[in-house]
Amino acid sequence: MEKSVCAIELKGITKRFGEVVANDGIDLQLNRGEILSLLGENGSGKTTLMNMLSGIYFPDEGQILAEGKPVSIRSPKDAFSYGIGMIHQHYKLVDVFTAAENIILGLEDEGRLDIKAANEKVRAICEKYGFDIDPTQKIYDMSVSQKQTVEIVKVLYRGAEVLILDEPTAVLTPQETDKLFDVLRNMRADGKAIVIITHKLHEVMALSDKVAVLRKGKYIGTVNTAETNPQALTDMMVGHAVTLNIDRPRCDSLIKRLEVKNLTCLDAEGVKKLDNVSFTAMGGEILGIAGIAGSGQKELLEAISGLYPAEGSVMYSPIEGGETELLGKTPLQIRRAGVVMAFVPEDRLGMGLVGSMGMTGNMMLRSWKKGRSVFVNRRDPNELALQVWKELEVVTPGTEFPVRRLSGGNVQKVLVGREIATAPSVLMTAYAVRGLDINTSYTIYNLLTEQKMKGAAVIYVGEDLDVLLELCDRILVLCGGQVSGIVDARSVTKDQIGLLMTRLGGKEAV
């Protein structure tokens, strides 16, 4: 077997932010012709470490070697000069430009304005690795996976030999994920060194050659993927044994909670975001919402909760008494009508929490009433904050520490904990575990299941189809703002969901 050729070596890399040590003396080696998965819980330092490699941060201590020689990487431009390129979760593209124009944007060589030559070079890169994009297509006409392709081609165009991808499959369908993996394998065969930061263990096992694990800023070790398994990797990440089974009990009595009929939403420009959506959400079940990014998931939850104007009907059925029409009511009017509705929005700090306030202040934003909850004491917001802090293991100096200064995962814990503490009859979550590590994600799944078993109607918008298939009872699939299917999560396959997400599966409900 050929000896691996080292492309990049990190020696004793340390990075501090104030008193917080994000990376503590990390040693890591990236080899040519290998795909390395970087695993770790939230706050373990994965992205910080890769940001130093890509020139966004500069290490406080330690050394980076490229091709065996010490280098100083103080900017992304420096990183590119050593053949290192990073593809971030949030794409940095100009919508009104073509793919090729975005790819050459910022280049200083003489040929940067020769768009014809650029188009040809982009086509050659696409043909070599199996990408599927048109260099002349505008970004605003592209799907999420096409935009991601443009970002990858952009770093290849600049001569990257080491590629770092941060959560690359977060918003892709299974079919798009398979296509991306094929491309990455082609790059590996071409001798590229590839690093993937991900929380999805099944993808780690399917794609990577090696797995490096970080825990609380420290390097735990690197293992060959063929010689490990998801359980062993999780135990390495967390430091103790973790159960990786999502419990999905059946609720004995299902009660109709929400009946949505012909729900239609338009944006400010008059474009339909939701088109004639109809479904029923039952108390005692988790209804999953699947769809590629921008299919109307956000608008659906916001319309139901009174935050987005819509036409149609959203009828709420309490345990006792008559039905209540929610459409046309504000969130305050919905609450005054006696509807206990909890909503964990996609925009955590923009809509969910006040960033300058601490946990206690954010708990006080809710008017607490007595009721059963997984959190025992709900009378005092400070006691509730302390309970959420303890139950969900929020990493914060204290309950008065501003939540905007917490990591994304810890902000999400505060928000989910607060909303579940209301003992809702309808609980809606948009990407409740996005950015959360595996251990905390399973805690959230169990909390949602507890609410289901207490009779709440749980609506769960998620992007990980494996989780949707394990956690939910039924799955509603959105495509272009329309319902392309409502399926039984216990019997449907991931590929069938993927086809419905792209409208290839037809419109029949399974």
Side-chain angles (χ1 to χ4, degrees):
M1 188 175 172
E2 285 184 35
K3 189 178 185 299
S4 299
V5 178
C6 179
I8 298 289
E9 188 174 2
L10 308 178
K11 287 186 174 182
I13 295 293
T14 297
K15 182 66 181 175
R16 301 180 186 87
F17 297 98
E19 294 179 2
V20 177
V21 183
N23 292 134
D24 187 0
I26 291 180
D27 299 322
L28 191 65
Q29 188 170 306
L30 312 180
N31 296 326
R32 291 189 174 277
E34 280 185 357
I35 298 176
L36 175 77
S37 289
L38 193 57
L39 281 182
E41 292 188 276
N42 292 112
S44 61
K46 306 182 300 293
T47 303
T48 299
L49 186 66
M50 291 300 105
N51 279 340
M52 283 187 279
L53 199 50
S54 61
I56 294 172
Y57 296 147
F58 190 77
D60 297 323
E61 296 171 21
Q63 199 172 46
I64 299 175
L65 288 81
E67 307 294 341
K69 297 175 183 176
V71 296
S72 177
I73 302 175
R74 294 184 173 274
S75 69
K77 185 179 175 183
D78 285 348
F80 276 122
S81 71
Y82 298 113
I84 303 166
M86 185 166 177
I87 296 91
H88 297 271
Q89 266 183 283
H90 305 290
Y91 311 139
K92 298 167 176 62
L93 300 170
V94 181
D95 272 3
V96 295
F97 284 7
T98 66
E101 286 167 345
N102 270 280
I103 287 164
I104 63 172
L105 193 63
L107 289 177
E108 296 176 355
D109 58 293
E110 290 180 6
R112 71 188 187 283
L113 298 178
D114 188 347
I115 195 66
K116 187 176 178 183
N119 285 341
E120 290 308 310
K121 187 174 175 183
V122 169
R123 284 195 179 95
I125 292 171
C126 292
E127 193 173 320
K128 181 176 182 179
Y129 296 112
F131 290 111
D132 183 22
I133 57 162
D134 176 0
T136 64
Q137 187 177 357
K138 300 278 191 184
I139 298 298
Y140 59 69
D141 280 333
M142 289 187 173
S143 67
V144 174
S145 66
Q146 287 175 313
K147 290 176 183 177
Q148 183 186 65
T149 299
V150 173
E151 288 283 18
I152 296 172
V153 174
K154 189 196 292 185
V155 300
L156 291 172
Y157 193 97
R158 286 158 169 74
E161 292 295 322
V162 178
L163 287 91
I164 304 161
L165 295 93
D166 192 358
E167 299 282 356
T169 65
V171 290
L172 303 185
T173 66
Q175 289 81 1
E176 289 168 340
T177 297
D178 289 342
K179 191 182 291 184
L180 173 65
F181 284 4
D182 286 340
V183 168
L184 293 177
R185 290 184 185 107
N186 290 341
M187 288 193 212
R188 174 178 63 188
D190 191 45
K192 306 288 187 193
I194 300 168
V195 182
I196 292 184
I197 303 172
T198 181
H199 288 298
K200 299 180 181 179
L201 289 178
H202 60 280
E203 294 181 356
V204 170
M205 300 304 296
L207 181 67
S208 61
D209 301 295
K210 291 181 179 176
V211 186
V213 178
L214 302 184
R215 188 198 311 149
K216 295 180 180 177
K218 293 181 183 293
Y219 171 69
I220 302 302
T222 299
V223 295
N224 293 322
T225 310
E227 297 169 4
T228 189
N229 58 66
Q231 185 66 60
L233 291 172
T234 305
D235 296 348
M236 279 180 76
M237 285 165 48
V238 180
H240 57 81
V242 175
T243 303
L244 288 181
N245 294 320
I246 298 177
D247 191 23
R248 180 170 51 185
R250 287 187 187 271
C251 191
D252 293 333
S253 55
L254 297 181
I255 305 165
K256 184 171 74 174
R257 278 279 175 262
L258 282 181
E259 188 170 11
V260 177
K261 287 184 178 177
N262 307 320
L263 194 66
T264 299
C265 295
L266 305 177
D267 66 10
E269 280 76 41
V271 177
K272 276 189 181 178
K273 292 295 183 178
L274 288 177
D275 186 4
N276 218 27
V277 169
S278 299
F279 64 92
T280 302
M282 308 295 289
E285 75 164 6
I286 298 179
L287 175 67
I289 309 289
I292 59 175
S295 294
Q297 302 96 314
K298 177 176 179 285
E299 290 79 9
L300 175 61
L301 298 195
E302 290 183 9
I304 292 171
S305 57
L307 295 166
Y308 200 100
E311 297 175 359
S313 172
V314 178
M315 200 65 73
Y316 171 78
S317 302
I319 296 175
E320 298 174 359
E323 296 182 324
T324 303
E325 174 61 65
L326 302 186
L327 216 59
K329 288 184 169 63
T330 65
L332 185 58
Q333 289 170 335
I334 289 173
R335 194 183 306 171
R336 284 176 176 166
V339 181
V340 186
M341 181 183 289
F343 178 32
V344 179
E346 183 178 0
D347 184 359
R348 299 165 185 173
L349 287 175
M351 289 178 64
L353 300 169
V354 177
S356 59
M357 291 167 63
M359 286 178 65
T360 300
N362 276 287
M363 298 301 160
M364 290 175 67
L365 294 176
R366 280 285 197 178
S367 57
W368 301 109
K369 298 178 182 178
K370 289 184 179 179
R372 290 179 301 118
S373 166
V374 291
F375 304 111
V376 179
N377 192 327
R378 302 173 50 206
R379 290 169 294 177
D380 181 349
N382 188 51
E383 287 186 31
L384 175 61
L386 288 168
Q387 194 77 352
V388 172
W389 186 8
K390 179 183 173 184
E391 291 279 339
L392 298 185
E393 298 178 346
V394 178
V395 180
T396 175
T399 55
E400 301 301 328
F401 190 74
V403 295
R404 64 178 159 73
R405 293 177 63 186
L406 303 180
S407 71
N410 286 301
V411 170
Q412 187 73 333
K413 291 178 189 178
V414 174
L415 182 52
V416 171
R418 186 191 73 185
E419 292 302 304
I420 287 177
T422 63
S425 55
V426 177
L427 170 60
M428 300 187 294
T429 69
Y431 311 106
V433 299
R434 179 184 280 170
L436 295 186
D437 55 71
I438 292 164
N439 196 26
T440 308
S441 295
Y442 278 79
T443 302
I444 300 294
Y445 302 148
N446 290 333
L447 290 175
L448 297 180
T449 299
E450 281 182 30
Q451 296 305 305
K452 173 184 98 169
M453 297 308 288
K454 288 177 180 177
V458 181
I459 300 176
Y460 177 89
V461 174
E463 52 203 1
D464 189 332
L465 292 188
D466 291 280
V467 170
L468 282 165
L469 290 169
E470 283 186 61
L471 175 69
C472 302
D473 299 285
R474 290 186 299 145
I475 299 172
L476 180 150
V477 187
L478 287 174
C479 179
Q482 296 181 323
V483 178
S484 59
I486 301 175
V487 298
D488 182 345
R490 288 176 170 84
S491 59
V492 74
T493 68
K494 191 159 71 167
D495 284 340
Q496 287 170 330
I497 296 279
L499 292 173
L500 287 169
M501 285 166 70
T502 53
R503 194 40 77 63
L504 298 174
K507 292 189 68 176
E508 299 84 6
V510 177

